[in-house]
Amino acid sequence: DEDSCSQGIIGGATDEDPDLDDDGCLNSEDDDDDGDGVLDVDEVFGCTDSEAVNFDEYATEEDGTCIYTITYDLSYHSGANLVSYFVSPVQDGPFTIENHLVSLFEDGNLYNVLGEENAAQLINGSFWAGSLIEIAPTDGYWIKIYDADDITLVAYPNSEQLVYTLHEGSNLISFSESEAYYLSDVLPDNIAGTSIYSVLSETEAALYMNGQWFGALNALEGFKGYWFKTYDAVEFSFEISDDLSR
């Protein structure tokens, strides 16, 4: 009847403009704007790529929300390495030392992880002890391994930009990108020298004097750990743009 075809045309269907929902009238409920055979009113938006980690088998329309893991190949020398992990191999839940970090290395090779204020130690090769349980994306760590090791980290990208909250003094932190960028390019101008005055890596250092950085450390790299020394507490994010790189 006419009420069942509100603001439409009773009948009125043609080969070019068919009555897709077979209700006997032509209206907006017959629209299939993308021609995929699913009516606009029935479209389910989501990730339609089966290769993505958040693939939705019920989605009929791609909405650009697909998430893909990224694979990183990392190498470490024997002894102490100053490292960080700005991305996690765990999508939902904590990135723990015992359940996740250890499994990236050869069996029994990783035996000590030290953060800025706490640590974890492998005891008798069988269990982990200490107050350091989880790996934080903004923190740096000293890890100790018996032998040189190459690991493969399959990680999920961060959904938001990392924000670093530093206290006065020495802070052990990560760098939030996988590639290397010049220190002077990625530190906000308003904190270089005024709040942050020195940066130290495992083997190099930089000191801010007279409006510029001096020292052998001129770039920051992903998966490395850094000591940032500050005059006062400060909160910031690294400034990364597409046209920057070392």
Side-chain angles (χ1 to χ4, degrees):
D1 59 25
E2 187 170 350
D3 290 338
S4 68
C5 191
S6 177
Q7 298 181 358
I9 302 173
I10 299 176
T14 66
D15 290 341
E16 292 77 20
D17 211 359
D19 177 17
L20 296 176
D21 60 1
D22 296 321
D23 65 353
C25 61
L26 192 64
N27 55 20
S28 61
E29 293 183 358
D30 295 305
D31 291 343
D32 178 18
D33 289 341
D34 58 8
D36 64 354
V38 179
L39 297 178
D40 291 351
V41 295
D42 295 329
E43 294 279 19
V44 177
F45 289 85
C47 176
T48 61
D49 187 348
S50 61
E51 298 297 317
V53 297
N54 61 330
F55 168 64
D56 183 352
E57 64 177 312
Y58 300 106
T60 61
E61 191 71 18
E62 175 62 47
D63 64 357
T65 61
C66 291
I67 299 173
Y68 302 89
T69 57
I70 305 173
T71 300
Y72 303 95
D73 294 317
L74 309 173
S75 297
Y76 301 99
H77 58 77
S78 61
N81 296 255
L82 187 54
V83 308
S84 65
Y85 301 95
F86 70 94
V87 288
S88 172
V90 185
Q91 185 177 19
D92 297 307
F95 177 10
T96 68
I97 294 173
E98 191 167 5
N99 293 332
H100 306 110
L101 184 62
V102 169
S103 64
L104 298 175
F105 293 84
E106 291 292 332
D107 189 32
N109 197 24
L110 176 67
Y111 65 91
N112 193 213
V113 183
L114 299 94
E116 183 180 318
E117 296 181 336
N118 48 13
Q121 175 76 38
L122 181 63
I123 305 298
N124 297 326
S126 59
F127 67 94
W128 285 84
S131 59
L132 180 57
I133 307 297
E134 300 176 8
I135 299 297
T138 57
D139 291 352
Y141 303 92
W142 284 102
I143 64 169
K144 294 182 179 180
I145 57 177
Y146 290 112
D147 302 306
D149 211 339
D150 297 320
I151 72 170
T152 297
L153 172 66
V154 180
Y156 297 89
N158 293 314
S159 59
E160 298 178 348
Q161 185 179 36
L162 294 182
V163 177
Y164 294 81
T165 302
L166 309 187
H167 56 76
E168 179 184 353
S170 297
N171 299 258
L172 184 53
I173 69 171
S174 69
F175 178 56
S176 59
E177 294 290 327
S178 60
E179 298 181 15
Y181 292 85
Y182 285 115
L183 176 63
S184 58
D185 286 340
V186 296
L187 270 183
D189 292 337
N190 65 318
I191 64 173
T194 57
S195 294
I196 298 172
Y197 66 89
S198 183
V199 180
L200 298 89
S201 69
E202 183 177 322
T203 59
E204 299 173 326
L207 180 65
Y208 194 87
M209 296 187 301
N210 301 321
Q212 59 183 314
W213 290 96
F214 292 90
L217 178 62
N218 59 20
L220 304 178
E221 300 180 49
F223 302 105
K224 304 292 186 182
Y226 297 94
W227 286 102
F228 273 51
K229 294 189 175 183
T230 67
Y231 291 118
D232 49 34
V234 63
E235 185 174 274
F236 75 98
S237 294
F238 290 108
E239 297 181 338
I240 309 295
S241 62
D242 293 338
D243 58 347
L244 290 179
S245 65
R246 187 176 72 172

CSV table of all heavy atoms in Angstrom, one decimal, residues 1 13-14 17-18 37 41 59 62 64 80 98 104-105 109 132 135 137 142 149 159 166 168 196 206 223 233 238:
chain,number,residue,atom,x,y,z
A,1,ASP,N,0.8,-1.2,0.0
A,1,ASP,CA,0.0,0.0,0.0
A,1,ASP,C,0.9,1.2,0.0
A,1,ASP,O,2.1,1.2,0.1
A,1,ASP,CB,-1.0,0.0,1.2
A,1,ASP,CG,-0.2,-0.1,2.5
A,1,ASP,OD1,0.9,0.4,2.6
A,1,ASP,OD2,-0.8,-0.6,3.5
A,13,ALA,N,9.7,0.6,-10.6
A,13,ALA,CA,11.0,0.0,-10.8
A,13,ALA,C,11.4,-0.2,-12.3
A,13,ALA,O,10.5,-0.5,-13.1
A,13,ALA,CB,11.1,-1.3,-10.1
A,14,THR,N,12.6,-0.1,-12.6
A,14,THR,CA,13.1,-0.3,-14.0
A,14,THR,C,14.4,-1.1,-13.9
A,14,THR,O,14.9,-1.4,-12.8
A,14,THR,CB,13.4,1.0,-14.7
A,14,THR,OG1,14.5,1.7,-14.1
A,14,THR,CG2,12.2,1.9,-14.7
A,17,ASP,N,16.9,1.0,-12.5
A,17,ASP,CA,16.6,1.5,-11.1
A,17,ASP,C,15.7,0.4,-10.5
A,17,ASP,O,14.5,0.6,-10.3
A,17,ASP,CB,15.9,2.8,-11.1
A,17,ASP,CG,16.2,3.7,-9.9
A,17,ASP,OD1,16.9,3.2,-9.0
A,17,ASP,OD2,15.7,4.8,-9.8
A,18,PRO,N,16.2,-0.7,-10.1
A,18,PRO,CA,15.4,-1.9,-9.7
A,18,PRO,C,14.8,-1.7,-8.2
A,18,PRO,O,15.4,-1.0,-7.4
A,18,PRO,CB,16.3,-3.0,-9.8
A,18,PRO,CG,17.7,-2.5,-9.5
A,18,PRO,CD,17.6,-1.1,-10.1
A,37,GLY,N,26.0,-5.0,-4.4
A,37,GLY,CA,24.9,-6.0,-4.1
A,37,GLY,C,24.3,-6.0,-2.7
A,37,GLY,O,23.4,-6.8,-2.4
A,41,VAL,N,21.2,0.5,3.2
A,41,VAL,CA,20.6,0.4,4.6
A,41,VAL,C,21.1,-0.9,5.3
A,41,VAL,O,21.0,-1.0,6.5
A,41,VAL,CB,19.1,0.4,4.6
A,41,VAL,CG1,18.6,1.7,4.1
A,41,VAL,CG2,18.5,-0.7,3.7
A,59,ALA,N,31.6,-7.7,8.0
A,59,ALA,CA,31.6,-6.3,7.4
A,59,ALA,C,31.4,-6.5,5.9
A,59,ALA,O,32.0,-7.3,5.2
A,59,ALA,CB,32.9,-5.6,7.7
A,62,GLU,N,34.3,-1.5,3.6
A,62,GLU,CA,35.5,-1.1,4.2
A,62,GLU,C,35.4,0.3,4.8
A,62,GLU,O,35.0,1.3,4.1
A,62,GLU,CB,36.7,-1.1,3.2
A,62,GLU,CG,38.0,-0.7,3.7
A,62,GLU,CD,38.5,-1.5,4.9
A,62,GLU,OE1,38.5,-2.7,4.8
A,62,GLU,OE2,38.9,-0.9,5.9
A,64,GLY,N,38.2,1.7,6.6
A,64,GLY,CA,39.6,2.3,6.8
A,64,GLY,C,40.1,2.0,8.2
A,64,GLY,O,41.1,2.6,8.6
A,80,ALA,N,75.3,-6.1,28.2
A,80,ALA,CA,74.2,-5.1,28.5
A,80,ALA,C,73.9,-4.3,27.3
A,80,ALA,O,74.8,-3.7,26.6
A,80,ALA,CB,74.7,-4.2,29.7
A,98,GLU,N,58.1,-12.0,31.4
A,98,GLU,CA,58.1,-13.4,31.5
A,98,GLU,C,57.4,-14.1,30.3
A,98,GLU,O,57.8,-15.2,29.8
A,98,GLU,CB,57.6,-13.9,32.8
A,98,GLU,CG,57.8,-15.3,33.1
A,98,GLU,CD,57.5,-15.7,34.6
A,98,GLU,OE1,57.1,-14.8,35.3
A,98,GLU,OE2,57.8,-16.9,34.9
A,104,LEU,N,61.2,-13.9,22.8
A,104,LEU,CA,61.8,-13.3,21.6
A,104,LEU,C,63.3,-13.7,21.5
A,104,LEU,O,63.8,-13.7,20.4
A,104,LEU,CB,61.7,-11.8,21.6
A,104,LEU,CG,60.3,-11.2,21.7
A,104,LEU,CD1,60.4,-9.7,21.8
A,104,LEU,CD2,59.5,-11.6,20.4
A,105,PHE,N,63.9,-14.1,22.6
A,105,PHE,CA,65.3,-14.4,22.6
A,105,PHE,C,65.5,-16.0,22.6
A,105,PHE,O,64.6,-16.7,22.9
A,105,PHE,CB,66.0,-13.8,23.8
A,105,PHE,CG,66.1,-12.3,23.7
A,105,PHE,CD1,65.0,-11.6,24.2
A,105,PHE,CD2,67.2,-11.6,23.3
A,105,PHE,CE1,65.0,-10.2,24.1
A,105,PHE,CE2,67.2,-10.3,23.2
A,105,PHE,CZ,66.1,-9.5,23.7
A,109,ASN,N,68.7,-17.1,27.1
A,109,ASN,CA,69.7,-16.1,26.8
A,109,ASN,C,69.5,-14.8,27.6
A,109,ASN,O,70.5,-14.2,28.0
A,109,ASN,CB,69.8,-15.8,25.3
A,109,ASN,CG,71.1,-15.2,24.9
A,109,ASN,OD1,72.1,-15.3,25.6
A,109,ASN,ND2,71.0,-14.5,23.8
A,132,LEU,N,60.0,-5.5,38.4
A,132,LEU,CA,59.8,-5.1,37.0
A,132,LEU,C,59.0,-6.3,36.3
A,132,LEU,O,59.6,-7.3,36.1
A,132,LEU,CB,61.1,-4.8,36.3
A,132,LEU,CG,60.9,-4.4,34.8
A,132,LEU,CD1,60.0,-3.2,34.7
A,132,LEU,CD2,62.3,-4.1,34.3
A,135,ILE,N,56.7,-4.3,30.3
A,135,ILE,CA,57.4,-3.3,29.4
A,135,ILE,C,56.5,-2.2,29.0
A,135,ILE,O,55.4,-2.5,28.5
A,135,ILE,CB,58.0,-4.1,28.2
A,135,ILE,CG1,59.0,-5.2,28.6
A,135,ILE,CG2,58.7,-3.1,27.2
A,135,ILE,CD1,60.2,-4.7,29.3
A,137,PRO,N,55.8,1.3,26.8
A,137,PRO,CA,56.2,1.8,25.5
A,137,PRO,C,57.0,3.1,25.6
A,137,PRO,O,57.8,3.4,24.6
A,137,PRO,CB,54.9,2.0,24.7
A,137,PRO,CG,53.9,2.2,25.8
A,137,PRO,CD,54.3,1.3,26.9
A,142,TRP,N,67.8,-1.5,30.4
A,142,TRP,CA,69.0,-2.2,30.2
A,142,TRP,C,68.6,-3.7,30.1
A,142,TRP,O,67.9,-4.2,31.1
A,142,TRP,CB,70.0,-2.0,31.3
A,142,TRP,CG,70.8,-0.7,31.2
A,142,TRP,CD1,70.5,0.4,32.0
A,142,TRP,CD2,71.9,-0.4,30.4
A,142,TRP,NE1,71.4,1.4,31.6
A,142,TRP,CE2,72.2,0.9,30.6
A,142,TRP,CE3,72.6,-1.1,29.4
A,142,TRP,CZ2,73.3,1.6,30.0
A,142,TRP,CZ3,73.6,-0.5,28.7
A,142,TRP,CH2,74.0,0.9,29.0
A,149,ASP,N,72.4,-12.0,20.0
A,149,ASP,CA,71.1,-12.6,19.6
A,149,ASP,C,70.4,-11.7,18.6
A,149,ASP,O,70.5,-10.5,18.6
A,149,ASP,CB,70.2,-12.7,20.8
A,149,ASP,CG,69.3,-13.9,20.7
A,149,ASP,OD1,69.1,-14.4,19.6
A,149,ASP,OD2,68.8,-14.4,21.7
A,159,SER,N,47.9,3.2,18.7
A,159,SER,CA,46.7,3.8,18.2
A,159,SER,C,46.8,5.3,18.5
A,159,SER,O,46.1,6.1,17.8
A,159,SER,CB,45.5,3.3,18.9
A,159,SER,OG,45.6,3.4,20.3
A,166,LEU,N,58.3,13.4,32.0
A,166,LEU,CA,59.6,13.3,32.7
A,166,LEU,C,59.6,14.1,34.0
A,166,LEU,O,59.0,15.1,34.1
A,166,LEU,CB,60.7,13.9,31.7
A,166,LEU,CG,60.7,13.3,30.3
A,166,LEU,CD1,62.0,13.9,29.6
A,166,LEU,CD2,60.7,11.8,30.2
A,168,GLU,N,62.2,15.8,37.1
A,168,GLU,CA,63.5,16.5,37.2
A,168,GLU,C,64.6,15.5,37.4
A,168,GLU,O,64.5,14.5,38.2
A,168,GLU,CB,63.5,17.5,38.3
A,168,GLU,CG,64.8,18.2,38.5
A,168,GLU,CD,64.8,19.1,39.7
A,168,GLU,OE1,63.7,19.3,40.3
A,168,GLU,OE2,65.8,19.7,40.0
A,196,ILE,N,65.2,20.1,28.8
A,196,ILE,CA,66.1,18.9,28.6
A,196,ILE,C,67.4,19.5,28.1
A,196,ILE,O,67.5,20.2,27.2
A,196,ILE,CB,65.5,18.0,27.5
A,196,ILE,CG1,64.1,17.4,27.9
A,196,ILE,CG2,66.4,16.9,27.1
A,196,ILE,CD1,63.4,16.7,26.9
A,206,ALA,N,74.9,13.7,24.1
A,206,ALA,CA,74.7,15.1,23.6
A,206,ALA,C,74.4,16.0,24.7
A,206,ALA,O,73.7,15.7,25.6
A,206,ALA,CB,73.6,15.1,22.5
A,223,PHE,N,63.8,1.5,19.2
A,223,PHE,CA,64.2,0.3,19.9
A,223,PHE,C,65.5,0.5,20.7
A,223,PHE,O,66.1,-0.4,21.2
A,223,PHE,CB,64.3,-0.9,19.0
A,223,PHE,CG,63.0,-1.2,18.3
A,223,PHE,CD1,62.8,-0.9,17.0
A,223,PHE,CD2,62.0,-1.7,19.1
A,223,PHE,CE1,61.6,-1.2,16.4
A,223,PHE,CE2,60.7,-2.0,18.5
A,223,PHE,CZ,60.5,-1.7,17.1
A,233,ALA,N,60.4,19.1,35.7
A,233,ALA,CA,59.5,18.1,35.1
A,233,ALA,C,58.9,18.7,33.8
A,233,ALA,O,58.7,19.9,33.7
A,233,ALA,CB,58.3,17.9,36.1
A,238,PHE,N,57.5,13.5,20.8
A,238,PHE,CA,58.4,13.7,19.7
A,238,PHE,C,57.7,14.3,18.5
A,238,PHE,O,56.6,13.8,18.2
A,238,PHE,CB,59.2,12.5,19.4
A,238,PHE,CG,60.2,12.1,20.5
A,238,PHE,CD1,60.0,10.9,21.2
A,238,PHE,CD2,61.4,12.8,20.7
A,238,PHE,CE1,60.9,10.6,22.2
A,238,PHE,CE2,62.3,12.4,21.7
A,238,PHE,CZ,62.0,11.3,22.4
